[in-house]
Amino acid sequence: MLGIHEIWLFILSGVLLNITPGPDTVYVIGRSMQLGWRGGAAAALGISCGCFFHVAGAAIGLSALLMASSTAFSILKLVGAAYLVVTGLQMLWSRPVLASAIDEPVQSSLRRVFLQGVFTNTLNPKVALFFLAFLPQFVAGDSAHKPLAFLTLGLIFICTGTLWCLVLAAFAAKAAHRLRSSEGAVAWVNRALGGLFIYLGIRVAMLETR
C-alpha cells in the first residue's frame, strides 16, 4: 500500500528509537517534574508538532531542498542554535515554581512549554536529516505515492513517540510530586534543562550538512 514495505520493521524500529533516551526524553521528564503531568504532556505534544513539520517537509520535498542548499541550512541552523541557547539561559535564570504555586499561572506555563517543544524540533535541522535518512528506507523507489507514504510513516512514528512520552510524563510527574515541593530540587531541574538546551544549541551550531 502506497509503496510502503516492511511496515512491521518500521514500527519496531520506530518504537525502539522512541524509547531510546535522548534530549526529548529529558525535556519531557524535566517539564513533568516542574509542572506535573500536564507540563510533561504539553512538552510531548509540542515535540510531536515540531516533528510533524519535518515529516511534512520530507513528504513535499522541502527538507531535501533544505539539505541541498547550504545557505538555507546554515540560516536554519544558526536560528535554531540561537533559540536553544537563549531558552537555556532563560531556564538557568528563572525562579523555581513550587507545586503550591502551580495553579493560576499554569495555563501560560503550559503554552510556553508547548511552544518550546515545537520550536526546539522545528528549528533543528538534525531532525530533518533524520527523517530524510529514515523514512525512504521503507518506501519503494518506484512508488507513485511517495509524499503520502512519507506522511503516513511519519505520522505512525510521531504517534508512537507521543504515546511513549505521555507515559514517561505520567511516571515522572508521579515520582516527582514531592520534589516539586522543594525549591532546591526545582531549581536543580531548571539548571539541568537550561544546560541541556545550551548543549543542544551548541550541537546544532556545529552541525554540518554532510
Side-chain angles (χ1 to χ4, degrees), residues 8-190:
W8 64 270
L9 181 59
F10 171 81
I11 295 174
L12 177 61
S13 301
V15 169
L16 291 175
L17 287 169
N18 284 321
I19 66 177
T20 301
D24 290 348
T25 302
V26 176
Y27 183 59
V28 170
I29 292 176
R31 287 311 194 184
S32 300
M33 294 176 67
Q34 287 179 314
L35 299 172
W37 185 83
R38 287 186 291 174
L45 294 176
I47 289 169
S48 297
C49 287
C51 287
F52 178 77
F53 282 106
H54 289 290
V55 170
I60 62 179
L62 286 179
S63 292
L65 180 62
L66 177 67
M67 295 304 106
S69 171
S70 58
T71 301
F73 181 88
S74 297
I75 292 174
L76 180 62
K77 179 181 70 172
L78 294 176
V79 170
Y83 172 79
L84 289 168
V85 170
V86 170
T87 300
L89 291 174
Q90 289 175 341
M91 289 180 181
L92 289 177
W93 295 332
S94 65
R95 296 180 58 186
V97 179
L98 302 183
S100 57
I102 305 179
D103 289 322
E104 294 299 325
V106 71
Q107 293 301 326
S108 60
S109 296
L110 294 180
R111 282 193 294 270
R112 184 168 62 251
V113 169
F114 173 81
L115 290 175
Q116 284 177 347
V118 173
F119 290 130
T120 298
N121 276 269
T122 303
L123 297 176
N124 188 351
K126 191 174 182 180
V127 181
L129 284 170
F130 166 75
F131 281 114
L132 279 177
F134 186 56
L135 298 184
Q137 298 181 51
F138 301 92
V139 179
D142 57 352
S143 172
H145 307 284
K146 283 191 180 71
L148 190 56
F150 286 161
L151 190 60
T152 300
L153 292 175
L155 288 175
I156 292 173
F157 182 86
I158 289 173
C159 286
T160 57
T162 302
L163 290 174
W164 170 247
C165 286
L166 291 176
V167 170
L168 277 181
F171 277 101
K174 185 174 182 180
H177 179 70
R178 292 183 179 179
L179 289 178
R180 293 203 309 275
S181 299
S182 166
E183 185 171 339
V186 175
W188 181 86
V189 173
N190 285 348

